[in-house]
Amino acid sequence: MNFLLFNYFIFLCLTLFVYYLVNNKQKNLVIFLSCIIFIYSISPNALLFSLIFTIINFFGGLLIYNQKDKKGFKRFIFYLLLFINIGLLIFFKYINFIFESINLFFGIIQLDIRIELINIILPIGISYYTFQSIGYLVRISRGFEMPEKNFVLFSNFLLFFPKFISGPVERSNHFLPQIKSLEDFSQTKVSVGLRLILFGIFKKVVIADNLYSPVSLVYSNIHNYAGMPLIMILFIQLIYIYCDFSGYTDIALGSAKLLGIDIIDNFNRPFLAKTITEFWKRWHISLSSWCNEFIYFPFIVKYRKWGNISAPLGILLTFTIIGIWHGSNWTFIILGFLQALAIIYEFFTKKYRLMLTSAFPVWIKNIISRILVIVFMGISMVFFFSKSISDALYFLINLFKNIEINYSGYNLNLNKSEFILAIICFMILYGIEILNEKGYNLQSLFIKQPKYIRWTLYYFLIILIYLFNSNNSTFQYMKF
């Protein structure tokens, strides 16, 4: 069941109707049954797998806590559950990648051995709920959290339908307290939720989907392009992935808000970041903060005796995992490695960069810094979208070859009116983000406007969504 399909909104309306019809004690049961129906509509096999996964981690959390006086056995249970969680993720998501890499190595050393690949289907959502369950088990093991004793509540944490397909990666200590004290209907929360859903669909349909065609075309036929088309895609792809993923996130946040639940936002104006370090505090926040909490900080604490070397090694490990998390391809590993190199560079050169730029006005430094971040992320995203390392290298090598400026569209399959509209809408969105960054709370100002002004904008967005719908209902991050 896709967020952009009409049947999802029918399902959501029915869920809300029943949810607010029952008393507060029964609301979690309604959410649980809705999650079951939602996942079953995607795939019965996905439902079976996710329920087995949930059962393992539910009883695993209880078992870890019950062995708190037997530290050795508690540690054994914890690492066993960690092995099961990570092992399942590796098997379903990375086993063929591992086999392909081994076969490639055998080919390089001219060894006539080949491992056959496995015909396997990746369980949808596994990357997200695996990280959620690992975080939950780690917190129980450290004594930071009590295990959840109600299976329905725990299932709602792992399988909550608004975030099941593509996150955000929730924290148990953030989500579980909320669903233990669900409240009655709130017109304010419902209004906020509906507004988030509308803006999310607008970003996805009007901006992202109308930029998808040129991005997809170039990466499917990379060797047919050079120069200006590649330069255009370098920036178009950033706008596309941002509006696609943040659009999904807004719909997820809005759907949860309709139920009175707040889930973690993934974005905080990332294109206004002045460093790559700051960018990752604003982009895919739920994943990057999860990796900070459960990978980076434990690593540097454990190896603090190594001195200054522990921090860059922790960064390298963290972003290698972030890269691998995105997909089973060497391109994603390089993507993570590039982010790590940039952040390590910033870590060691911060003092010198401040000295070097101290003579420049702040506004000039901010503009240059933001441009450099956008250019670097554009280059990095070449590895995100490329099918292979050779395709990514071709893209970068041919970026400035035969640069010609013309108005033919560069064979990018552009529908000019839709493309121009998407760019204009993004520029308006970017302008709003700049004003919000400066402290102008435009959302609060908008809500205070008369009803006819607010509803004029809502209807205008709905009309644009209807007129410029490209029927591309797939979200990029559903692949992960």
Side-chain angles (χ1 to χ4, degrees), residues 25 108-109 118 122 132 137 164 183 211 232 244 308 382 440:
K25 291 183 179 179
I108 292 172
I109 64 174
I118 301 173
L122 177 68
Q132 289 176 166
L137 295 174
F164 179 79
E183 299 175 355
L211 299 180
M232 289 176 63
D244 183 272
N308 286 340
V382 172
Y440 299 98

Side-chain angles (χ1 to χ4, degrees), residues 53-67:
F53 186 94
T54 302
I55 291 168
I56 291 171
N57 284 284
F58 172 71
F59 287 106
L62 292 172
L63 192 56
I64 290 173
Y65 181 77
N66 290 336
Q67 305 305 319

Side-chain angles (χ1 to χ4, degrees), residues 33-59:
L33 293 175
S34 297
C35 294
I36 297 298
I37 295 168
F38 179 84
I39 301 170
Y40 182 84
S41 72
I42 299 171
S43 165
N45 290 334
L47 175 61
L48 178 62
F49 178 84
S50 60
L51 283 175
I52 293 172
F53 186 94
T54 302
I55 291 168
I56 291 171
N57 284 284
F58 172 71
F59 287 106

Side-chain angles (χ1 to χ4, degrees), residues 205-216:
V205 172
V206 177
I207 304 178
D209 285 357
N210 288 312
L211 299 180
Y212 172 76
S213 180
V215 173
S216 175

